[in-house]
Amino acid sequence: MPDTTRYLQAYDDQLRTDAETPSAIGVTMLGPLRLVTFAGGRGFVTYRDLGGSDAERISGLVGEALEHFRADPETDRVEWKSRGHDHAPGLHDALVAHGFTPGEPESIMIGPLAALCEVGDVPAGVTVRRVTTEADVRAMSAMVDEAFGEAVDARQADALLSRLARGDGMELWVAEVDGRMVSGGRLEPVPGTDFVGIWGGATLEAYRHRGIYRALTAARARSAVALGKTLVHSDSTDDSRPILERPGLVKVSTTTPYDWAR
């Protein structure tokens, strides 16, 4: 079996379950859909597959899912996570018709975790470390928002602190230059699977193309190996995809987020 086929099968079998959302504070099943609520007012829709639904049924599922989240006044934004290899007739049109906006497609990358441990040494003058204190978590969250060109959202930091308090396995890592956080990302071990996820990687524009993100990726990978994980997955932008391809990760599919805001 080719690596791409084997990895995609492992992705569908091991990750498209409750293992995908370990930080959920609530999960409701709606047919094939998993309607997830996270701290900080965020809803999320995912599924193993759409059960062979036709376009009419899919449109109905989109409407019912949105009504579920509308009924919760605490939820003010929802992401529907689509995958390029799914059989989903009419899904794009149904989501847009219900007020969802498609984001940029990203590559689903999977490969051997050990290969990431050597993607880059820490550059001179850079410190890479794990963060756990409230002050550090809030500083990291604000820096990542800045790196993505977004307004600082304190609710993101609140959600991260809530997860750390619950001890769901998530790790937060940053890279610093002269005491300033310039890059950061999460490590997400997936319980009961071979996988760990590397997420949220972002570097301030002025510090890109210096090997900082590669060093941050390697540090997270070494931490995951110590936990006994063997496979890594990540949804990658065009900027981060080459960093993951060089050590042997492969693109198995695409994922496109569709976002709705109250």
Side-chain angles (χ1 to χ4, degrees), residues 179-202:
R180 180 188 184 187
M181 292 183 186
V182 300
S183 184
R186 304 191 315 276
L187 181 70
E188 301 264 7
V190 185
T193 76
D194 301 320
F195 281 97
V196 65
I198 289 181
W199 300 102

PDB file of all heavy atoms in Angstrom, residues 179-202:
ATOM      1  N   GLY A 179      14.592  37.832  24.393  1.00  0.00           N
ATOM      2  CA  GLY A 179      13.509  37.847  25.362  1.00  0.00           C
ATOM      3  C   GLY A 179      12.135  38.115  24.787  1.00  0.00           C
ATOM      4  O   GLY A 179      11.133  38.115  25.525  1.00  0.00           O
ATOM      5  N   ARG A 180      12.027  38.319  23.485  1.00  0.00           N
ATOM      6  CA  ARG A 180      10.741  38.573  22.840  1.00  0.00           C
ATOM      7  C   ARG A 180      10.245  37.309  22.148  1.00  0.00           C
ATOM      8  O   ARG A 180      10.991  36.684  21.378  1.00  0.00           O
ATOM      9  CB  ARG A 180      10.859  39.694  21.817  1.00  0.00           C
ATOM     10  CG  ARG A 180       9.542  40.005  21.104  1.00  0.00           C
ATOM     11  CD  ARG A 180       9.727  40.976  19.960  1.00  0.00           C
ATOM     12  NE  ARG A 180       8.436  41.312  19.365  1.00  0.00           N
ATOM     13  CZ  ARG A 180       8.272  42.025  18.263  1.00  0.00           C
ATOM     14  NH1 ARG A 180       9.345  42.485  17.621  1.00  0.00           N
ATOM     15  NH2 ARG A 180       7.065  42.286  17.789  1.00  0.00           N
ATOM     16  N   MET A 181       8.996  36.942  22.386  1.00  0.00           N
ATOM     17  CA  MET A 181       8.412  35.815  21.681  1.00  0.00           C
ATOM     18  C   MET A 181       8.200  36.194  20.223  1.00  0.00           C
ATOM     19  O   MET A 181       7.565  37.205  19.924  1.00  0.00           O
ATOM     20  CB  MET A 181       7.072  35.426  22.304  1.00  0.00           C
ATOM     21  CG  MET A 181       7.180  34.839  23.691  1.00  0.00           C
ATOM     22  SD  MET A 181       5.540  34.336  24.314  1.00  0.00           S
ATOM     23  CE  MET A 181       5.959  33.869  25.999  1.00  0.00           C
ATOM     24  N   VAL A 182       8.755  35.376  19.327  1.00  0.00           N
ATOM     25  CA  VAL A 182       8.649  35.680  17.898  1.00  0.00           C
ATOM     26  C   VAL A 182       8.008  34.551  17.100  1.00  0.00           C
ATOM     27  O   VAL A 182       7.659  34.733  15.939  1.00  0.00           O
ATOM     28  CB  VAL A 182      10.030  36.011  17.301  1.00  0.00           C
ATOM     29  CG1 VAL A 182      10.645  37.218  18.002  1.00  0.00           C
ATOM     30  CG2 VAL A 182      10.973  34.814  17.370  1.00  0.00           C
ATOM     31  N   SER A 183       7.848  33.381  17.716  1.00  0.00           N
ATOM     32  CA  SER A 183       7.237  32.248  17.039  1.00  0.00           C
ATOM     33  C   SER A 183       6.615  31.345  18.097  1.00  0.00           C
ATOM     34  O   SER A 183       7.095  31.286  19.228  1.00  0.00           O
ATOM     35  CB  SER A 183       8.280  31.471  16.218  1.00  0.00           C
ATOM     36  OG  SER A 183       7.680  30.421  15.472  1.00  0.00           O
ATOM     37  N   GLY A 184       5.543  30.663  17.722  1.00  0.00           N
ATOM     38  CA  GLY A 184       4.895  29.784  18.696  1.00  0.00           C
ATOM     39  C   GLY A 184       4.029  28.750  18.013  1.00  0.00           C
ATOM     40  O   GLY A 184       3.685  28.876  16.829  1.00  0.00           O
ATOM     41  N   GLY A 185       3.679  27.709  18.758  1.00  0.00           N
ATOM     42  CA  GLY A 185       2.817  26.673  18.221  1.00  0.00           C
ATOM     43  C   GLY A 185       2.438  25.665  19.279  1.00  0.00           C
ATOM     44  O   GLY A 185       3.017  25.632  20.374  1.00  0.00           O
ATOM     45  N   ARG A 186       1.453  24.828  18.947  1.00  0.00           N
ATOM     46  CA  ARG A 186       0.940  23.821  19.878  1.00  0.00           C
ATOM     47  C   ARG A 186       1.404  22.432  19.468  1.00  0.00           C
ATOM     48  O   ARG A 186       1.656  22.161  18.299  1.00  0.00           O
ATOM     49  CB  ARG A 186      -0.599  23.815  19.895  1.00  0.00           C
ATOM     50  CG  ARG A 186      -1.221  25.127  20.223  1.00  0.00           C
ATOM     51  CD  ARG A 186      -2.726  24.983  20.493  1.00  0.00           C
ATOM     52  NE  ARG A 186      -3.440  24.150  19.547  1.00  0.00           N
ATOM     53  CZ  ARG A 186      -3.911  24.577  18.373  1.00  0.00           C
ATOM     54  NH1 ARG A 186      -3.689  25.814  17.973  1.00  0.00           N
ATOM     55  NH2 ARG A 186      -4.587  23.761  17.586  1.00  0.00           N
ATOM     56  N   LEU A 187       1.479  21.567  20.459  1.00  0.00           N
ATOM     57  CA  LEU A 187       1.670  20.132  20.246  1.00  0.00           C
ATOM     58  C   LEU A 187       0.436  19.446  20.809  1.00  0.00           C
ATOM     59  O   LEU A 187       0.051  19.697  21.958  1.00  0.00           O
ATOM     60  CB  LEU A 187       2.926  19.649  20.972  1.00  0.00           C
ATOM     61  CG  LEU A 187       3.270  18.166  20.806  1.00  0.00           C
ATOM     62  CD1 LEU A 187       3.739  17.890  19.387  1.00  0.00           C
ATOM     63  CD2 LEU A 187       4.336  17.750  21.817  1.00  0.00           C
ATOM     64  N   GLU A 188      -0.188  18.576  19.995  1.00  0.00           N
ATOM     65  CA  GLU A 188      -1.449  17.954  20.387  1.00  0.00           C
ATOM     66  C   GLU A 188      -1.349  16.428  20.285  1.00  0.00           C
ATOM     67  O   GLU A 188      -1.683  15.848  19.249  1.00  0.00           O
ATOM     68  CB  GLU A 188      -2.576  18.454  19.484  1.00  0.00           C
ATOM     69  CG  GLU A 188      -2.796  19.951  19.494  1.00  0.00           C
ATOM     70  CD  GLU A 188      -3.895  20.353  20.454  1.00  0.00           C
ATOM     71  OE1 GLU A 188      -4.381  19.474  21.186  1.00  0.00           O
ATOM     72  OE2 GLU A 188      -4.250  21.546  20.473  1.00  0.00           O
ATOM     73  N   PRO A 189      -0.877  15.746  21.330  1.00  0.00           N
ATOM     74  CA  PRO A 189      -0.914  14.281  21.307  1.00  0.00           C
ATOM     75  C   PRO A 189      -2.362  13.801  21.236  1.00  0.00           C
ATOM     76  O   PRO A 189      -3.226  14.319  21.957  1.00  0.00           O
ATOM     77  CB  PRO A 189      -0.267  13.897  22.646  1.00  0.00           C
ATOM     78  CG  PRO A 189       0.466  15.118  23.097  1.00  0.00           C
ATOM     79  CD  PRO A 189      -0.310  16.278  22.577  1.00  0.00           C
ATOM     80  N   VAL A 190      -2.634  12.847  20.369  1.00  0.00           N
ATOM     81  CA  VAL A 190      -4.006  12.352  20.202  1.00  0.00           C
ATOM     82  C   VAL A 190      -4.151  11.051  20.983  1.00  0.00           C
ATOM     83  O   VAL A 190      -3.554  10.030  20.604  1.00  0.00           O
ATOM     84  CB  VAL A 190      -4.330  12.127  18.710  1.00  0.00           C
ATOM     85  CG1 VAL A 190      -5.793  11.739  18.557  1.00  0.00           C
ATOM     86  CG2 VAL A 190      -4.029  13.382  17.900  1.00  0.00           C
ATOM     87  N   PRO A 191      -4.909  11.054  22.075  1.00  0.00           N
ATOM     88  CA  PRO A 191      -5.010   9.862  22.930  1.00  0.00           C
ATOM     89  C   PRO A 191      -5.517   8.644  22.164  1.00  0.00           C
ATOM     90  O   PRO A 191      -6.393   8.748  21.301  1.00  0.00           O
ATOM     91  CB  PRO A 191      -6.029  10.289  23.999  1.00  0.00           C
ATOM     92  CG  PRO A 191      -5.982  11.785  24.008  1.00  0.00           C
ATOM     93  CD  PRO A 191      -5.710  12.180  22.590  1.00  0.00           C
ATOM     94  N   GLY A 192      -4.922   7.495  22.449  1.00  0.00           N
ATOM     95  CA  GLY A 192      -5.382   6.243  21.866  1.00  0.00           C
ATOM     96  C   GLY A 192      -5.026   6.042  20.410  1.00  0.00           C
ATOM     97  O   GLY A 192      -5.565   5.155  19.750  1.00  0.00           O
ATOM     98  N   THR A 193      -4.118   6.881  19.884  1.00  0.00           N
ATOM     99  CA  THR A 193      -3.711   6.753  18.480  1.00  0.00           C
ATOM    100  C   THR A 193      -2.191   6.812  18.388  1.00  0.00           C
ATOM    101  O   THR A 193      -1.499   7.075  19.369  1.00  0.00           O
ATOM    102  CB  THR A 193      -4.292   7.891  17.611  1.00  0.00           C
ATOM    103  OG1 THR A 193      -3.554   9.105  17.859  1.00  0.00           O
ATOM    104  CG2 THR A 193      -5.761   8.129  17.918  1.00  0.00           C
ATOM    105  N   ASP A 194      -1.684   6.619  17.164  1.00  0.00           N
ATOM    106  CA  ASP A 194      -0.247   6.755  16.898  1.00  0.00           C
ATOM    107  C   ASP A 194       0.154   8.206  16.665  1.00  0.00           C
ATOM    108  O   ASP A 194       1.342   8.509  16.529  1.00  0.00           O
ATOM    109  CB  ASP A 194       0.137   5.948  15.647  1.00  0.00           C
ATOM    110  CG  ASP A 194      -0.179   4.469  15.782  1.00  0.00           C
ATOM    111  OD1 ASP A 194       0.034   3.920  16.882  1.00  0.00           O
ATOM    112  OD2 ASP A 194      -0.642   3.864  14.789  1.00  0.00           O
ATOM    113  N   PHE A 195      -0.828   9.105  16.626  1.00  0.00           N
ATOM    114  CA  PHE A 195      -0.618  10.453  16.110  1.00  0.00           C
ATOM    115  C   PHE A 195      -0.359  11.503  17.174  1.00  0.00           C
ATOM    116  O   PHE A 195      -0.868  11.436  18.300  1.00  0.00           O
ATOM    117  CB  PHE A 195      -1.852  10.909  15.329  1.00  0.00           C
ATOM    118  CG  PHE A 195      -1.957  10.357  13.941  1.00  0.00           C
ATOM    119  CD1 PHE A 195      -2.748   9.245  13.691  1.00  0.00           C
ATOM    120  CD2 PHE A 195      -1.284  10.942  12.888  1.00  0.00           C
ATOM    121  CE1 PHE A 195      -2.878   8.736  12.408  1.00  0.00           C
ATOM    122  CE2 PHE A 195      -1.404  10.442  11.597  1.00  0.00           C
ATOM    123  CZ  PHE A 195      -2.203   9.338  11.365  1.00  0.00           C
ATOM    124  N   VAL A 196       0.379  12.508  16.721  1.00  0.00           N
ATOM    125  CA  VAL A 196       0.442  13.790  17.408  1.00  0.00           C
ATOM    126  C   VAL A 196       0.218  14.861  16.339  1.00  0.00           C
ATOM    127  O   VAL A 196       0.620  14.699  15.188  1.00  0.00           O
ATOM    128  CB  VAL A 196       1.801  13.987  18.118  1.00  0.00           C
ATOM    129  CG1 VAL A 196       2.935  14.053  17.119  1.00  0.00           C
ATOM    130  CG2 VAL A 196       1.783  15.228  18.993  1.00  0.00           C
ATOM    131  N   GLY A 197      -0.450  15.928  16.735  1.00  0.00           N
ATOM    132  CA  GLY A 197      -0.674  17.036  15.811  1.00  0.00           C
ATOM    133  C   GLY A 197       0.231  18.207  16.146  1.00  0.00           C
ATOM    134  O   GLY A 197       0.483  18.489  17.320  1.00  0.00           O
ATOM    135  N   ILE A 198       0.747  18.845  15.111  1.00  0.00           N
ATOM    136  CA  ILE A 198       1.535  20.072  15.276  1.00  0.00           C
ATOM    137  C   ILE A 198       0.721  21.197  14.653  1.00  0.00           C
ATOM    138  O   ILE A 198       0.451  21.184  13.453  1.00  0.00           O
ATOM    139  CB  ILE A 198       2.925  19.937  14.626  1.00  0.00           C
ATOM    140  CG1 ILE A 198       3.767  18.980  15.457  1.00  0.00           C
ATOM    141  CG2 ILE A 198       3.607  21.279  14.489  1.00  0.00           C
ATOM    142  CD1 ILE A 198       5.166  18.768  14.935  1.00  0.00           C
ATOM    143  N   TRP A 199       0.309  22.144  15.510  1.00  0.00           N
ATOM    144  CA  TRP A 199      -0.691  23.127  15.116  1.00  0.00           C
ATOM    145  C   TRP A 199      -0.277  24.545  15.490  1.00  0.00           C
ATOM    146  O   TRP A 199       0.542  24.765  16.386  1.00  0.00           O
ATOM    147  CB  TRP A 199      -2.026  22.830  15.819  1.00  0.00           C
ATOM    148  CG  TRP A 199      -2.581  21.487  15.505  1.00  0.00           C
ATOM    149  CD1 TRP A 199      -2.528  20.381  16.293  1.00  0.00           C
ATOM    150  CD2 TRP A 199      -3.267  21.098  14.316  1.00  0.00           C
ATOM    151  NE1 TRP A 199      -3.142  19.324  15.668  1.00  0.00           N
ATOM    152  CE2 TRP A 199      -3.605  19.736  14.451  1.00  0.00           C
ATOM    153  CE3 TRP A 199      -3.637  21.777  13.155  1.00  0.00           C
ATOM    154  CZ2 TRP A 199      -4.296  19.043  13.471  1.00  0.00           C
ATOM    155  CZ3 TRP A 199      -4.323  21.083  12.173  1.00  0.00           C
ATOM    156  CH2 TRP A 199      -4.644  19.730  12.339  1.00  0.00           C
ATOM    157  N   GLY A 200      -0.957  25.479  14.843  1.00  0.00           N
ATOM    158  CA  GLY A 200      -0.884  26.873  15.251  1.00  0.00           C
ATOM    159  C   GLY A 200       0.452  27.539  15.035  1.00  0.00           C
ATOM    160  O   GLY A 200       0.723  28.575  15.631  1.00  0.00           O
ATOM    161  N   GLY A 201       1.323  26.939  14.229  1.00  0.00           N
ATOM    162  CA  GLY A 201       2.641  27.513  14.043  1.00  0.00           C
ATOM    163  C   GLY A 201       2.572  28.886  13.374  1.00  0.00           C
ATOM    164  O   GLY A 201       1.954  29.029  12.323  1.00  0.00           O
ATOM    165  N   ALA A 202       3.193  29.869  14.000  1.00  0.00           N
ATOM    166  CA  ALA A 202       3.192  31.218  13.446  1.00  0.00           C
ATOM    167  C   ALA A 202       4.461  31.930  13.879  1.00  0.00           C
ATOM    168  O   ALA A 202       4.908  31.778  15.015  1.00  0.00           O
ATOM    169  CB  ALA A 202       1.968  31.992  13.911  1.00  0.00           C
TER     170      ALA A 202
END
